[in-house]
Amino acid sequence: MVKIKIDGIEYEVDEKKNLISAAKDVGVDIPFFCFHPKLSVVGMCRMCLIEIEGIPRLQVACNTKVAEGLSIVTNSPRVKEAREGTMEFLLANHPLDCPVCDKAGECQLQDNSFNSGKGNSRFTLEKRNIPQEEIGTNLIINHNRCIVCYRCVRFEEEMIGESNLGLFERGHHSIIGLAKEEPISHNYQGALADICPVGALLNDKTLFKSRVWWYKSEESVCPGCSTGCKTYTNVRDNKMYRYMPRVDEEKDQYFLCDKGRFDVEWLNSNRLFAYYKNGAVSTGSEVLEEIALSISKAVKIAVLGGAQESNENLQSIRSSLEKFGVPIVMEARVSDAQYKEPEQVDFLLTSDERPNTKGAVEAKFVSNAGVTALRESISKGEFDLVFVIKEDAESVLNGIKPKTLIVLDTNLNTSVSKASFGIPVKAYSEQSGSFTNKNGWKQNFKKSMEPPKGLLSSGEFFEEILNRVSELRSGKEAVVGNR
């Protein structure tokens, strides 16, 4: 740590950081466009100009490292005038189309224009007008909005290892465009739209869907793989529209991959909200009573899956299962990728597509034999009941048909329709909890959607079954009705 002065006040800051990051840590915001803490510094936008004591010319904060005794001024008349000039140049060609731009409400150009701009322009000539292009399988570029910050080009080259974009022409005619004939097809087109500080890069999948100020946002965690990227959920009218990255500098989390970001439709459609019995819609009271009766007569039970569930649900399930009074084998690892250290598919996405395999292992939701040996035992009829929790039962069981198959899921699928019983349960977004990612970080997520009244989580389902089994064994009359 070193001591520096910002606007006459002394602060202690991290000597490894540049001035923008160090100032932000102590509550002083220096405006910028091209800077990003995970990308190389280019100093292209000239928005972060500051005064440094002892240096006659204004300097860019992004390319200035902190040092002991450094003294800077971020709000002098000279600095403000320079920033106003920068904003005037950037807005000279920028269209005033905020009312139809998807970035409105979360746009750095809007923020810096209000905070550091003049409010009027001396530019009287006709603004340039270049048609927008589709440059990716899910990416559009609006050249007129681009401020040539070069973030997108650096992100691709430095984070993804591809060079699909480049800077073409000069001066007034400068544009960012495709450097290849093929459109962008990688897993980070959503991140390119995120990293753009204006509305130049946009995703087709979310284009014109909603205004950002209509969203209800909660802190969450991506359920797409074992990386466990931190997110914000964006919900409107109890419908999930998108995930946005939640920056955590300490854990080096800044981005989201497209696989996790756009995987929202399963939360909005084809949801399972009814109990099923042998492929037909039934009632909760009938299904729960029959399952409880089967458990009270069972000799051995298997529970497969669970790595899609929160740590809290896993603990609740395990607690209930231990009180069933029946030998039970649990195994959350149902794919090969879960039995080894996750492999990186790219710089974020891993081969383990479950968000909580690590948590399931730590909760001892695993067996000594493994899923392959369990399949063989199931095929021999050694288990009276087999529960499958939020997994494709046909894939997990490899076509084996247990005596009684009970599938817990959030969506109506072939596994539910072919099972002895199908149980509707809450999605992760309809409850609060935590996932443990591949590094062992336990990360909390908050409830962001309202479940239908009466819908149980997987943990609550097993608690309800335990109550019914206990009533049967104690000789009491089971309570009638769907509670």
Side-chain angles (χ1 to χ4, degrees), residues 328-342:
I328 294 175
V329 179
M330 296 172 281
E331 183 54 82
R333 300 166 300 177
V334 296
S335 72
D336 293 339
Q338 292 176 282
Y339 285 87
K340 53 187 177 182
E341 285 298 312

Side-chain angles (χ1 to χ4, degrees), residues 82-273:
R83 290 175 184 166
E84 285 178 357
T86 297
M87 285 304 306
E88 192 172 6
F89 274 116
L90 291 176
L91 292 171
N93 263 314
H94 194 89
L96 295 176
D97 59 355
C98 299
V100 298
C101 179
D102 264 26
K103 199 78 170 185
E106 53 187 12
C107 174
Q108 282 182 251
L109 192 67
Q110 285 180 328
D111 295 340
N112 288 339
S113 180
F114 277 106
N115 296 329
S116 304
K118 292 182 69 173
N120 63 296
S121 173
R122 290 172 289 179
F123 187 80
T124 57
L125 302 176
E126 186 177 345
K127 293 177 184 284
R128 70 178 188 175
N129 186 14
I130 305 172
Q132 71 178 22
E133 297 179 81
E134 290 188 9
I135 60 171
T137 54
N138 179 32
L139 195 66
I140 297 170
I141 187 167
N142 186 314
H143 295 291
N144 303 318
R145 296 174 184 162
C146 180
I147 61 170
V148 195
C149 70
Y150 218 58
R151 270 186 172 189
C152 54
V153 178
R154 286 179 286 151
F155 174 77
E156 281 211 313
E157 291 179 350
E158 296 169 18
M159 301 306 298
I160 303 173
E162 296 186 15
S163 298
N164 296 298
L165 296 170
L167 179 60
F168 301 94
E169 305 295 342
R170 294 182 180 181
H172 174 77
H173 303 287
S174 297
I175 64 168
I176 297 289
L178 275 177
K180 301 177 179 179
E181 293 184 3
E182 300 82 13
I184 297 170
S185 60
H186 58 62
N187 193 29
Y188 292 90
Q189 296 176 61
L192 282 172
D194 272 350
I195 209 169
C196 179
V198 296
L201 291 174
L202 298 169
N203 296 122
D204 271 339
K205 289 184 178 180
T206 53
L207 195 65
F208 304 137
K209 292 291 177 67
S210 179
R211 285 300 191 182
V212 299
W213 51 84
W214 291 339
Y215 292 134
K216 173 190 171 186
S217 295
E218 296 289 353
E219 293 182 354
S220 191
V221 177
C222 177
C225 80
S226 63
T227 300
C229 297
K230 290 187 175 182
T231 66
Y232 288 107
T233 54
N234 285 171
V235 175
R236 176 185 167 198
D237 298 329
N238 210 36
K239 180 180 179 181
M240 187 71 72
Y241 275 74
R242 63 176 187 175
Y243 302 123
M244 295 294 282
R246 179 159 55 102
V247 174
D248 186 340
E249 292 187 10
E250 289 184 6
K251 289 184 167 60
D252 200 33
Q253 293 185 332
Y254 294 90
F255 308 111
L256 276 179
C257 75
D258 288 356
K259 184 181 181 299
R261 177 191 300 271
F262 296 115
D263 186 24
V264 298
E265 195 53 39
W266 67 276
L267 291 166
N268 304 323
S269 62
N270 196 38
R271 289 294 302 276
L272 177 63
F273 292 137

